[in-house]
Amino acid sequence: MIVKWSPEELNSIGSAVELHIAVRRPDGRLRRWTPIWVVCVDEQVYVRTWYRRETGWFGHALLSRRARIRVPGLAADVTVEDLGQGEVDLHAGVDAAYRTKYGHHGSESMVTAAAAATTLRLAPDR
């Protein structure tokens, strides 16, 4: 069962230009904060990276499945779900959200097949 974000949390996350994420180490400590683009689709929160890799924040998130996020007005612990091989309809919705939110920033690199393969859903860890 997916834990839902509150409307206020979704508003804070969705209105942020960037989300900062710090992936949890095995001992629970946080790795360094990394700014990433974030979108909300159907009351869920999604992030991507340029391409799927096992290093950096993305690789650590795949291993840990736990992180902490922050945007103005909100800090939260999250679980990380890999949706890289997810449904085409989901990827299309996330692609559209990236184009709408970041189109003026050159979002095309975030809507390629390689970027779609890095789609992660962030759910509140409560």
Side-chain angles (χ1 to χ4, degrees):
M1 180 175 156
I2 297 172
V3 179
K4 300 228 179 205
W5 293 97
S6 73
E8 295 80 17
E9 291 169 328
L10 284 170
N11 184 55
S12 293
I13 294 167
S15 63
V17 174
E18 292 179 323
L19 172 145
H20 286 81
I21 189 167
V23 177
R24 294 238 176 242
R25 296 175 187 272
D27 65 7
R29 291 181 300 129
L30 294 175
R31 296 183 182 278
R32 71 178 177 86
W33 290 97
T34 303
I36 54 175
W37 286 354
V38 59
V39 296
C40 299
V41 177
D42 296 331
E43 300 180 352
Q44 298 297 318
V45 174
Y46 299 94
V47 295
R48 289 179 171 171
T49 189
W50 301 101
Y51 59 94
R52 192 173 184 90
R53 60 185 182 271
E54 305 307 315
T55 60
W57 76 267
F58 182 82
H60 292 299
L62 290 178
L63 290 174
S64 171
R65 305 292 180 166
R66 297 174 32 232
R68 185 151 181 86
I69 62 166
R70 65 183 183 197
V71 295
L74 174 70
D77 290 317
V78 297
T79 57
V80 178
E81 182 182 1
D82 182 7
L83 301 176
Q85 304 305 317
E87 302 170 15
V88 172
D89 290 344
L90 170 68
H91 287 286
V94 174
D95 286 351
Y98 269 99
R99 283 188 181 104
T100 298
K101 186 171 181 179
Y102 298 107
H104 61 286
H105 292 293
S107 66
E108 287 307 307
S109 61
M110 294 302 285
V111 295
T112 64
T118 72
T119 304
L120 302 176
R121 179 176 22 227
L122 305 180
D125 187 10
R126 26 178 177 241

